[in-house]
Amino acid sequence: DIAMHPIDQIINNNKDYEIALWCRFKDDIFCPWIMGIEKLHEFHAWINSLSPKIKFTMNFAEDPLEGIEYLDTRVYIKESFIHTTLFTKPSDTHAYLNPNSCHPKHVCSNIPQGVAKRIKRICSEESEYLKHKLSHIDHFVNRGYNRDFITTEFDKCDDLDRLDLIGDPEISFNVESKESGRRVPLVLDFHPSYAGASRAVNKHKDLLDLDDTLKDVISKDKIFVTFRKARTIGDSLVHSRYTRDSSNSNSKALGNINCGKCNLCKFFLSENTVKIQSLTTKQIHNINQSITCEDEHVI
């Protein structure tokens, strides 16, 4: 974003082209064009001349009804109105979380409704929403979800107002202030047998009121249970950091190592050395690896 900001400013300040909208998300840009194909190619050549290190590629649609894809959205024009619908790449396998995986139940149950709301929010036409709704129900069924459950979750979005899902950008989120009290999480490694942990905490947190000092420090309404990912077999077998083999005692030591066997090391190399001095130039050089008298090219 920092690198692209000066280029974005140059493009927006150019009065030779009518740029009604220049939207960029990372390296993807959406720009409605109204000046014709020839002028579009001229504009494309100009923005590629702004920096030798940054080159723009361009996709456009000559048929307004066919539209153009931008991120997960296809934008098209129908009856002089701009419409949007869901776009997924052909390589998208829709590999949603398997319902039999070791996750809290609410995680798997909330995914279908979240996907349904996303489709409802993106599709401006009801026919497009219904088309993608049916296809995504099949995607969830292929992942092992119950069809009746998925259908029920998607049906909940049918009567929702799309504008309410999009939201008003002028309305800020209601974030709790610091004065409202500090929340105290009980963080546990997730396991299916811990499903009742929240009920147990909520059942007994009234005990805090028995201590006049403690209830002023920790509010019982701010205590909640949350889970973190438990260690898997893959985490135990595969390490994220490379570790040296510590079985070789000399692997950690640098310099000329006394082998303790030959007469040269016994009588002339009384201790390990990490520096060596040239007999000709008198320069001192560091030994940056572990060597012994048994190594090749060592005299």
Side-chain angles (χ1 to χ4, degrees):
D1 291 341
I2 296 177
M4 289 298 298
H5 180 66
I7 297 179
D8 290 339
Q9 284 187 318
I10 294 174
I11 294 173
N12 284 308
N13 293 333
N14 192 321
K15 303 302 182 182
D16 296 334
Y17 304 100
E18 297 181 21
I19 303 175
L21 185 65
W22 181 264
C23 295
R24 181 173 60 82
F25 179 78
K26 298 187 182 299
D27 58 349
D28 292 311
I29 299 170
F30 177 74
C31 178
W33 192 257
I34 59 175
M35 300 182 66
I37 300 298
E38 183 178 349
K39 203 71 173 177
L40 176 62
H41 288 291
E42 178 186 317
F43 173 74
H44 182 219
W46 172 69
I47 60 177
N48 273 327
S49 66
L50 296 178
S51 174
K53 296 182 179 180
I54 299 176
K55 296 301 177 183
F56 294 86
T57 59
M58 179 176 65
N59 294 323
F60 65 94
E62 297 186 25
D63 183 5
L65 189 60
E66 179 184 351
I68 189 72
E69 295 82 19
Y70 180 67
L71 301 177
D72 62 346
T73 304
R74 183 169 68 86
V75 184
Y76 61 98
I77 297 177
K78 182 178 179 181
E79 298 178 355
S80 301
F81 287 94
I82 297 178
H83 291 277
T84 56
T85 186
L86 183 67
F87 169 73
T88 57
K89 293 182 178 180
S91 59
D92 190 353
T93 59
H94 301 279
Y96 300 111
L97 183 66
N98 192 293
N100 297 321
S101 63
C102 188
H103 284 78
K105 290 184 178 180
H106 70 272
V107 173
C108 294
S109 61
N110 289 340
I111 292 176
Q113 190 171 144
V115 173
K117 288 182 178 179
R118 171 170 162 261
I119 297 174
K120 183 78 171 183
R121 184 169 55 246
I122 292 177
C123 296
S124 58
E125 292 189 287
E126 187 68 16
S127 59
E128 288 291 318
Y129 163 69
L130 295 176
K131 180 181 71 174
H132 289 291
K133 169 187 172 181
L134 295 177
S135 63
H136 277 72
I137 288 176
D138 291 336
H139 294 323
F140 275 102
V141 173
N142 293 335
R143 289 294 295 168
Y145 286 79
N146 180 272
R147 180 176 291 274
D148 293 336
F149 168 74
I150 297 299
T151 303
T152 302
E153 293 299 309
F154 270 75
D155 288 345
K156 292 178 181 178
C157 292
D158 290 349
D159 297 330
L160 295 179
D161 190 344
R162 178 171 176 263
L163 296 179
D164 292 337
L165 294 175
I166 294 174
D168 188 347
E170 299 298 328
I171 299 177
S172 60
F173 292 100
N174 183 19
V175 181
E176 286 187 327
S177 61
K178 293 183 179 180
E179 289 76 13
S180 62
R182 180 183 177 184
R183 304 190 71 188
V184 183
L186 173 60
V187 184
L188 304 174
D189 290 335
F190 176 74
H191 191 276
S193 62
Y194 295 165
S198 296
R199 291 193 298 270
V201 171
N202 292 330
K203 179 181 178 180
H204 299 288
K205 63 184 181 182
D206 290 335
L207 294 175
L208 291 173
D209 294 335
L210 300 179
D211 192 308
D212 295 334
T213 303
L214 188 59
K215 71 177 183 181
D216 293 335
V217 177
I218 302 176
S219 173
K220 65 179 181 180
D221 297 328
K222 301 298 181 180
I223 298 177
F224 66 100
V225 177
T226 184
F227 297 99
R228 59 173 167 244
K229 178 186 174 184
R231 189 174 180 85
T232 64
I233 297 177
D235 296 331
S236 301
L237 296 178
V238 180
H239 299 281
S240 59
R241 295 183 179 180
Y242 170 76
T243 55
R244 290 186 175 184
D245 184 8
S246 59
S247 59
N248 185 0
S249 59
N250 293 334
S251 62
K252 296 181 179 180
L254 300 180
N256 193 2
I257 308 301
N258 188 329
C259 72
K261 300 177 183 179
C262 66
N263 291 332
L264 176 64
C265 291
K266 288 181 180 179
F267 298 106
F268 294 95
L269 186 62
S270 58
E271 59 184 11
N272 299 344
T273 58
V274 295
K275 297 180 182 293
I276 185 172
Q277 184 177 22
S278 172
L279 299 178
T280 304
T281 63
K282 304 302 181 182
Q283 290 183 337
I284 298 178
H285 303 276
N286 294 325
I287 302 176
N288 296 323
Q289 64 184 44
S290 177
I291 61 174
T292 67
C293 59
E294 298 177 351
D295 292 334
E296 295 182 357
H297 312 299
V298 175
I299 303 176

PDB file of all heavy atoms in Angstrom, residues 255-286:
ATOM      1  N   GLY A 255      36.099 -24.325  15.456  1.00  0.00           N
ATOM      2  CA  GLY A 255      37.540 -24.240  15.576  1.00  0.00           C
ATOM      3  C   GLY A 255      38.216 -25.587  15.392  1.00  0.00           C
ATOM      4  O   GLY A 255      37.614 -26.571  14.956  1.00  0.00           O
ATOM      5  N   ASN A 256      39.514 -25.621  15.725  1.00  0.00           N
ATOM      6  CA  ASN A 256      40.322 -26.845  15.623  1.00  0.00           C
ATOM      7  C   ASN A 256      40.135 -27.660  16.902  1.00  0.00           C
ATOM      8  O   ASN A 256      40.503 -27.221  17.982  1.00  0.00           O
ATOM      9  CB  ASN A 256      41.796 -26.467  15.423  1.00  0.00           C
ATOM     10  CG  ASN A 256      42.634 -27.655  14.994  1.00  0.00           C
ATOM     11  OD1 ASN A 256      42.106 -28.747  14.817  1.00  0.00           O
ATOM     12  ND2 ASN A 256      43.927 -27.442  14.830  1.00  0.00           N
ATOM     13  N   ILE A 257      39.530 -28.849  16.760  1.00  0.00           N
ATOM     14  CA  ILE A 257      39.146 -29.652  17.915  1.00  0.00           C
ATOM     15  C   ILE A 257      40.216 -30.716  18.190  1.00  0.00           C
ATOM     16  O   ILE A 257      40.671 -31.417  17.282  1.00  0.00           O
ATOM     17  CB  ILE A 257      37.785 -30.336  17.680  1.00  0.00           C
ATOM     18  CG1 ILE A 257      36.742 -29.303  17.239  1.00  0.00           C
ATOM     19  CG2 ILE A 257      37.327 -31.049  18.952  1.00  0.00           C
ATOM     20  CD1 ILE A 257      36.508 -28.190  18.214  1.00  0.00           C
ATOM     21  N   ASN A 258      40.612 -30.816  19.446  1.00  0.00           N
ATOM     22  CA  ASN A 258      41.582 -31.826  19.874  1.00  0.00           C
ATOM     23  C   ASN A 258      40.910 -33.197  19.856  1.00  0.00           C
ATOM     24  O   ASN A 258      39.926 -33.416  20.553  1.00  0.00           O
ATOM     25  CB  ASN A 258      42.088 -31.485  21.284  1.00  0.00           C
ATOM     26  CG  ASN A 258      43.247 -32.370  21.715  1.00  0.00           C
ATOM     27  OD1 ASN A 258      43.340 -33.529  21.316  1.00  0.00           O
ATOM     28  ND2 ASN A 258      44.130 -31.817  22.540  1.00  0.00           N
ATOM     29  N   CYS A 259      41.450 -34.112  19.021  1.00  0.00           N
ATOM     30  CA  CYS A 259      40.834 -35.438  18.930  1.00  0.00           C
ATOM     31  C   CYS A 259      41.172 -36.305  20.130  1.00  0.00           C
ATOM     32  O   CYS A 259      40.481 -37.270  20.430  1.00  0.00           O
ATOM     33  CB  CYS A 259      41.261 -36.126  17.631  1.00  0.00           C
ATOM     34  SG  CYS A 259      42.983 -36.676  17.623  1.00  0.00           S
ATOM     35  N   GLY A 260      42.281 -36.004  20.826  1.00  0.00           N
ATOM     36  CA  GLY A 260      42.670 -36.761  22.008  1.00  0.00           C
ATOM     37  C   GLY A 260      43.272 -38.124  21.708  1.00  0.00           C
ATOM     38  O   GLY A 260      43.487 -38.918  22.631  1.00  0.00           O
ATOM     39  N   LYS A 261      43.573 -38.398  20.439  1.00  0.00           N
ATOM     40  CA  LYS A 261      44.083 -39.722  20.061  1.00  0.00           C
ATOM     41  C   LYS A 261      45.501 -39.659  19.517  1.00  0.00           C
ATOM     42  O   LYS A 261      46.382 -40.370  19.961  1.00  0.00           O
ATOM     43  CB  LYS A 261      43.161 -40.361  19.017  1.00  0.00           C
ATOM     44  CG  LYS A 261      41.735 -40.572  19.487  1.00  0.00           C
ATOM     45  CD  LYS A 261      40.875 -41.142  18.369  1.00  0.00           C
ATOM     46  CE  LYS A 261      39.418 -41.280  18.799  1.00  0.00           C
ATOM     47  NZ  LYS A 261      38.562 -41.817  17.689  1.00  0.00           N
ATOM     48  N   CYS A 262      45.718 -38.794  18.539  1.00  0.00           N
ATOM     49  CA  CYS A 262      47.021 -38.775  17.858  1.00  0.00           C
ATOM     50  C   CYS A 262      48.046 -37.989  18.671  1.00  0.00           C
ATOM     51  O   CYS A 262      47.701 -37.178  19.538  1.00  0.00           O
ATOM     52  CB  CYS A 262      46.883 -38.189  16.455  1.00  0.00           C
ATOM     53  SG  CYS A 262      46.412 -36.450  16.449  1.00  0.00           S
ATOM     54  N   ASN A 263      49.346 -38.217  18.377  1.00  0.00           N
ATOM     55  CA  ASN A 263      50.423 -37.527  19.093  1.00  0.00           C
ATOM     56  C   ASN A 263      50.436 -36.038  18.801  1.00  0.00           C
ATOM     57  O   ASN A 263      50.821 -35.239  19.657  1.00  0.00           O
ATOM     58  CB  ASN A 263      51.772 -38.144  18.694  1.00  0.00           C
ATOM     59  CG  ASN A 263      51.925 -39.556  19.225  1.00  0.00           C
ATOM     60  OD1 ASN A 263      51.338 -39.907  20.260  1.00  0.00           O
ATOM     61  ND2 ASN A 263      52.695 -40.378  18.535  1.00  0.00           N
ATOM     62  N   LEU A 264      49.982 -35.661  17.590  1.00  0.00           N
ATOM     63  CA  LEU A 264      49.971 -34.245  17.252  1.00  0.00           C
ATOM     64  C   LEU A 264      49.041 -33.479  18.189  1.00  0.00           C
ATOM     65  O   LEU A 264      49.406 -32.438  18.727  1.00  0.00           O
ATOM     66  CB  LEU A 264      49.522 -34.072  15.798  1.00  0.00           C
ATOM     67  CG  LEU A 264      49.371 -32.628  15.309  1.00  0.00           C
ATOM     68  CD1 LEU A 264      50.712 -31.906  15.324  1.00  0.00           C
ATOM     69  CD2 LEU A 264      48.758 -32.589  13.913  1.00  0.00           C
ATOM     70  N   CYS A 265      47.861 -34.029  18.377  1.00  0.00           N
ATOM     71  CA  CYS A 265      46.906 -33.338  19.248  1.00  0.00           C
ATOM     72  C   CYS A 265      47.323 -33.427  20.711  1.00  0.00           C
ATOM     73  O   CYS A 265      47.100 -32.501  21.494  1.00  0.00           O
ATOM     74  CB  CYS A 265      45.511 -33.933  19.056  1.00  0.00           C
ATOM     75  SG  CYS A 265      44.774 -33.569  17.442  1.00  0.00           S
ATOM     76  N   LYS A 266      47.929 -34.543  21.100  1.00  0.00           N
ATOM     77  CA  LYS A 266      48.312 -34.722  22.505  1.00  0.00           C
ATOM     78  C   LYS A 266      49.404 -33.762  22.926  1.00  0.00           C
ATOM     79  O   LYS A 266      49.377 -33.208  24.028  1.00  0.00           O
ATOM     80  CB  LYS A 266      48.750 -36.156  22.741  1.00  0.00           C
ATOM     81  CG  LYS A 266      47.615 -37.176  22.727  1.00  0.00           C
ATOM     82  CD  LYS A 266      48.155 -38.574  23.002  1.00  0.00           C
ATOM     83  CE  LYS A 266      47.038 -39.608  23.002  1.00  0.00           C
ATOM     84  NZ  LYS A 266      47.567 -40.982  23.236  1.00  0.00           N
ATOM     85  N   PHE A 267      50.416 -33.572  22.027  1.00  0.00           N
ATOM     86  CA  PHE A 267      51.607 -32.815  22.441  1.00  0.00           C
ATOM     87  C   PHE A 267      51.662 -31.390  21.887  1.00  0.00           C
ATOM     88  O   PHE A 267      52.353 -30.552  22.456  1.00  0.00           O
ATOM     89  CB  PHE A 267      52.866 -33.572  22.001  1.00  0.00           C
ATOM     90  CG  PHE A 267      52.982 -34.923  22.632  1.00  0.00           C
ATOM     91  CD1 PHE A 267      52.744 -36.073  21.893  1.00  0.00           C
ATOM     92  CD2 PHE A 267      53.301 -35.051  23.981  1.00  0.00           C
ATOM     93  CE1 PHE A 267      52.845 -37.334  22.469  1.00  0.00           C
ATOM     94  CE2 PHE A 267      53.407 -36.315  24.560  1.00  0.00           C
ATOM     95  CZ  PHE A 267      53.170 -37.448  23.819  1.00  0.00           C
ATOM     96  N   PHE A 268      50.974 -31.116  20.776  1.00  0.00           N
ATOM     97  CA  PHE A 268      51.082 -29.786  20.168  1.00  0.00           C
ATOM     98  C   PHE A 268      49.773 -28.982  20.240  1.00  0.00           C
ATOM     99  O   PHE A 268      49.808 -27.768  20.172  1.00  0.00           O
ATOM    100  CB  PHE A 268      51.506 -29.909  18.693  1.00  0.00           C
ATOM    101  CG  PHE A 268      52.888 -30.460  18.528  1.00  0.00           C
ATOM    102  CD1 PHE A 268      53.080 -31.808  18.311  1.00  0.00           C
ATOM    103  CD2 PHE A 268      53.996 -29.623  18.607  1.00  0.00           C
ATOM    104  CE1 PHE A 268      54.351 -32.321  18.162  1.00  0.00           C
ATOM    105  CE2 PHE A 268      55.274 -30.145  18.460  1.00  0.00           C
ATOM    106  CZ  PHE A 268      55.471 -31.494  18.237  1.00  0.00           C
ATOM    107  N   LEU A 269      48.634 -29.666  20.346  1.00  0.00           N
ATOM    108  CA  LEU A 269      47.353 -28.969  20.449  1.00  0.00           C
ATOM    109  C   LEU A 269      46.785 -29.224  21.836  1.00  0.00           C
ATOM    110  O   LEU A 269      46.020 -30.155  22.058  1.00  0.00           O
ATOM    111  CB  LEU A 269      46.378 -29.450  19.371  1.00  0.00           C
ATOM    112  CG  LEU A 269      45.050 -28.687  19.275  1.00  0.00           C
ATOM    113  CD1 LEU A 269      45.286 -27.215  18.926  1.00  0.00           C
ATOM    114  CD2 LEU A 269      44.141 -29.316  18.235  1.00  0.00           C
ATOM    115  N   SER A 270      47.228 -28.404  22.777  1.00  0.00           N
ATOM    116  CA  SER A 270      46.833 -28.635  24.170  1.00  0.00           C
ATOM    117  C   SER A 270      45.363 -28.305  24.424  1.00  0.00           C
ATOM    118  O   SER A 270      44.761 -28.850  25.330  1.00  0.00           O
ATOM    119  CB  SER A 270      47.725 -27.794  25.102  1.00  0.00           C
ATOM    120  OG  SER A 270      47.611 -26.426  24.758  1.00  0.00           O
ATOM    121  N   GLU A 271      44.781 -27.400  23.617  1.00  0.00           N
ATOM    122  CA  GLU A 271      43.378 -27.031  23.795  1.00  0.00           C
ATOM    123  C   GLU A 271      42.785 -26.641  22.443  1.00  0.00           C
ATOM    124  O   GLU A 271      43.511 -26.390  21.465  1.00  0.00           O
ATOM    125  CB  GLU A 271      43.235 -25.868  24.770  1.00  0.00           C
ATOM    126  CG  GLU A 271      43.976 -24.611  24.359  1.00  0.00           C
ATOM    127  CD  GLU A 271      43.890 -23.509  25.391  1.00  0.00           C
ATOM    128  OE1 GLU A 271      43.436 -23.778  26.519  1.00  0.00           O
ATOM    129  OE2 GLU A 271      44.233 -22.367  25.045  1.00  0.00           O
ATOM    130  N   ASN A 272      41.462 -26.599  22.384  1.00  0.00           N
ATOM    131  CA  ASN A 272      40.795 -26.217  21.144  1.00  0.00           C
ATOM    132  C   ASN A 272      41.105 -24.771  20.787  1.00  0.00           C
ATOM    133  O   ASN A 272      41.208 -23.905  21.664  1.00  0.00           O
ATOM    134  CB  ASN A 272      39.282 -26.391  21.270  1.00  0.00           C
ATOM    135  CG  ASN A 272      38.909 -27.838  21.553  1.00  0.00           C
ATOM    136  OD1 ASN A 272      39.706 -28.739  21.374  1.00  0.00           O
ATOM    137  ND2 ASN A 272      37.671 -28.047  21.988  1.00  0.00           N
ATOM    138  N   THR A 273      41.290 -24.504  19.494  1.00  0.00           N
ATOM    139  CA  THR A 273      41.585 -23.149  19.035  1.00  0.00           C
ATOM    140  C   THR A 273      40.534 -22.714  18.029  1.00  0.00           C
ATOM    141  O   THR A 273      40.077 -23.501  17.201  1.00  0.00           O
ATOM    142  CB  THR A 273      42.972 -23.076  18.376  1.00  0.00           C
ATOM    143  OG1 THR A 273      43.019 -23.989  17.274  1.00  0.00           O
ATOM    144  CG2 THR A 273      44.067 -23.430  19.366  1.00  0.00           C
ATOM    145  N   VAL A 274      40.130 -21.441  18.101  1.00  0.00           N
ATOM    146  CA  VAL A 274      39.148 -20.881  17.167  1.00  0.00           C
ATOM    147  C   VAL A 274      39.793 -19.861  16.243  1.00  0.00           C
ATOM    148  O   VAL A 274      39.131 -19.295  15.376  1.00  0.00           O
ATOM    149  CB  VAL A 274      37.980 -20.231  17.920  1.00  0.00           C
ATOM    150  CG1 VAL A 274      37.203 -21.276  18.699  1.00  0.00           C
ATOM    151  CG2 VAL A 274      38.477 -19.133  18.857  1.00  0.00           C
ATOM    152  N   LYS A 275      41.092 -19.625  16.372  1.00  0.00           N
ATOM    153  CA  LYS A 275      41.820 -18.703  15.517  1.00  0.00           C
ATOM    154  C   LYS A 275      43.111 -19.354  15.054  1.00  0.00           C
ATOM    155  O   LYS A 275      43.657 -20.227  15.725  1.00  0.00           O
ATOM    156  CB  LYS A 275      42.133 -17.384  16.248  1.00  0.00           C
ATOM    157  CG  LYS A 275      40.903 -16.583  16.670  1.00  0.00           C
ATOM    158  CD  LYS A 275      41.300 -15.306  17.381  1.00  0.00           C
ATOM    159  CE  LYS A 275      40.078 -14.528  17.846  1.00  0.00           C
ATOM    160  NZ  LYS A 275      39.308 -14.004  16.710  1.00  0.00           N
ATOM    161  N   ILE A 276      43.585 -18.913  13.887  1.00  0.00           N
ATOM    162  CA  ILE A 276      44.832 -19.418  13.349  1.00  0.00           C
ATOM    163  C   ILE A 276      45.613 -18.250  12.758  1.00  0.00           C
ATOM    164  O   ILE A 276      45.023 -17.347  12.161  1.00  0.00           O
ATOM    165  CB  ILE A 276      44.578 -20.498  12.268  1.00  0.00           C
ATOM    166  CG1 ILE A 276      45.912 -21.097  11.808  1.00  0.00           C
ATOM    167  CG2 ILE A 276      43.784 -19.957  11.092  1.00  0.00           C
ATOM    168  CD1 ILE A 276      45.735 -22.295  10.901  1.00  0.00           C
ATOM    169  N   GLN A 277      46.940 -18.243  12.964  1.00  0.00           N
ATOM    170  CA  GLN A 277      47.785 -17.153  12.472  1.00  0.00           C
ATOM    171  C   GLN A 277      48.677 -17.655  11.348  1.00  0.00           C
ATOM    172  O   GLN A 277      49.295 -18.721  11.435  1.00  0.00           O
ATOM    173  CB  GLN A 277      48.649 -16.581  13.600  1.00  0.00           C
ATOM    174  CG  GLN A 277      49.472 -15.374  13.179  1.00  0.00           C
ATOM    175  CD  GLN A 277      50.265 -14.794  14.330  1.00  0.00           C
ATOM    176  OE1 GLN A 277      50.545 -15.474  15.316  1.00  0.00           O
ATOM    177  NE2 GLN A 277      50.636 -13.519  14.213  1.00  0.00           N
ATOM    178  N   SER A 278      48.695 -16.872  10.250  1.00  0.00           N
ATOM    179  CA  SER A 278      49.529 -17.228   9.112  1.00  0.00           C
ATOM    180  C   SER A 278      50.996 -16.990   9.450  1.00  0.00           C
ATOM    181  O   SER A 278      51.367 -15.926   9.964  1.00  0.00           O
ATOM    182  CB  SER A 278      49.134 -16.394   7.888  1.00  0.00           C
ATOM    183  OG  SER A 278      50.043 -16.596   6.835  1.00  0.00           O
ATOM    184  N   LEU A 279      51.843 -17.991   9.168  1.00  0.00           N
ATOM    185  CA  LEU A 279      53.273 -17.855   9.450  1.00  0.00           C
ATOM    186  C   LEU A 279      53.943 -16.882   8.498  1.00  0.00           C
ATOM    187  O   LEU A 279      55.008 -16.348   8.792  1.00  0.00           O
ATOM    188  CB  LEU A 279      53.954 -19.221   9.357  1.00  0.00           C
ATOM    189  CG  LEU A 279      53.454 -20.290  10.336  1.00  0.00           C
ATOM    190  CD1 LEU A 279      54.172 -21.609  10.097  1.00  0.00           C
ATOM    191  CD2 LEU A 279      53.658 -19.835  11.779  1.00  0.00           C
ATOM    192  N   THR A 280      53.311 -16.621   7.344  1.00  0.00           N
ATOM    193  CA  THR A 280      53.908 -15.740   6.336  1.00  0.00           C
ATOM    194  C   THR A 280      53.468 -14.301   6.519  1.00  0.00           C
ATOM    195  O   THR A 280      54.293 -13.383   6.629  1.00  0.00           O
ATOM    196  CB  THR A 280      53.532 -16.214   4.920  1.00  0.00           C
ATOM    197  OG1 THR A 280      53.943 -17.570   4.764  1.00  0.00           O
ATOM    198  CG2 THR A 280      54.236 -15.359   3.856  1.00  0.00           C
ATOM    199  N   THR A 281      52.131 -14.081   6.567  1.00  0.00           N
ATOM    200  CA  THR A 281      51.606 -12.709   6.643  1.00  0.00           C
ATOM    201  C   THR A 281      51.338 -12.261   8.079  1.00  0.00           C
ATOM    202  O   THR A 281      51.068 -11.087   8.312  1.00  0.00           O
ATOM    203  CB  THR A 281      50.309 -12.602   5.838  1.00  0.00           C
ATOM    204  OG1 THR A 281      49.324 -13.470   6.425  1.00  0.00           O
ATOM    205  CG2 THR A 281      50.543 -13.017   4.378  1.00  0.00           C
ATOM    206  N   LYS A 282      51.349 -13.198   9.012  1.00  0.00           N
ATOM    207  CA  LYS A 282      51.058 -12.915  10.424  1.00  0.00           C
ATOM    208  C   LYS A 282      49.600 -12.499  10.660  1.00  0.00           C
ATOM    209  O   LYS A 282      49.259 -12.038  11.752  1.00  0.00           O
ATOM    210  CB  LYS A 282      51.994 -11.832  10.980  1.00  0.00           C
ATOM    211  CG  LYS A 282      53.461 -12.149  10.831  1.00  0.00           C
ATOM    212  CD  LYS A 282      53.842 -13.460  11.514  1.00  0.00           C
ATOM    213  CE  LYS A 282      55.338 -13.748  11.374  1.00  0.00           C
ATOM    214  NZ  LYS A 282      55.711 -15.046  11.996  1.00  0.00           N
ATOM    215  N   GLN A 283      48.760 -12.641   9.628  1.00  0.00           N
ATOM    216  CA  GLN A 283      47.342 -12.313   9.800  1.00  0.00           C
ATOM    217  C   GLN A 283      46.633 -13.404  10.589  1.00  0.00           C
ATOM    218  O   GLN A 283      46.956 -14.583  10.449  1.00  0.00           O
ATOM    219  CB  GLN A 283      46.661 -12.127   8.448  1.00  0.00           C
ATOM    220  CG  GLN A 283      47.084 -10.868   7.705  1.00  0.00           C
ATOM    221  CD  GLN A 283      46.330 -10.680   6.407  1.00  0.00           C
ATOM    222  OE1 GLN A 283      45.820 -11.645   5.851  1.00  0.00           O
ATOM    223  NE2 GLN A 283      46.262  -9.452   5.920  1.00  0.00           N
ATOM    224  N   ILE A 284      45.677 -13.005  11.407  1.00  0.00           N
ATOM    225  CA  ILE A 284      44.911 -13.942  12.228  1.00  0.00           C
ATOM    226  C   ILE A 284      43.549 -14.153  11.584  1.00  0.00           C
ATOM    227  O   ILE A 284      42.851 -13.189  11.232  1.00  0.00           O
ATOM    228  CB  ILE A 284      44.753 -13.408  13.658  1.00  0.00           C
ATOM    229  CG1 ILE A 284      46.132 -13.253  14.324  1.00  0.00           C
ATOM    230  CG2 ILE A 284      43.859 -14.348  14.479  1.00  0.00           C
ATOM    231  CD1 ILE A 284      46.072 -12.679  15.720  1.00  0.00           C
ATOM    232  N   HIS A 285      43.159 -15.412  11.409  1.00  0.00           N
ATOM    233  CA  HIS A 285      41.903 -15.763  10.759  1.00  0.00           C
ATOM    234  C   HIS A 285      41.044 -16.575  11.723  1.00  0.00           C
ATOM    235  O   HIS A 285      41.566 -17.388  12.497  1.00  0.00           O
ATOM    236  CB  HIS A 285      42.148 -16.581   9.489  1.00  0.00           C
ATOM    237  CG  HIS A 285      43.036 -15.889   8.488  1.00  0.00           C
ATOM    238  ND1 HIS A 285      42.562 -14.981   7.584  1.00  0.00           N
ATOM    239  CD2 HIS A 285      44.388 -15.968   8.286  1.00  0.00           C
ATOM    240  CE1 HIS A 285      43.568 -14.529   6.834  1.00  0.00           C
ATOM    241  NE2 HIS A 285      44.682 -15.120   7.256  1.00  0.00           N
ATOM    242  N   ASN A 286      39.736 -16.337  11.681  1.00  0.00           N
ATOM    243  CA  ASN A 286      38.801 -17.111  12.488  1.00  0.00           C
ATOM    244  C   ASN A 286      38.488 -18.433  11.806  1.00  0.00           C
ATOM    245  O   ASN A 286      38.357 -18.505  10.582  1.00  0.00           O
ATOM    246  CB  ASN A 286      37.502 -16.331  12.702  1.00  0.00           C
ATOM    247  CG  ASN A 286      37.716 -15.092  13.549  1.00  0.00           C
ATOM    248  OD1 ASN A 286      38.540 -15.092  14.468  1.00  0.00           O
ATOM    249  ND2 ASN A 286      36.981 -14.039  13.237  1.00  0.00           N
TER     250      ASN A 286
END
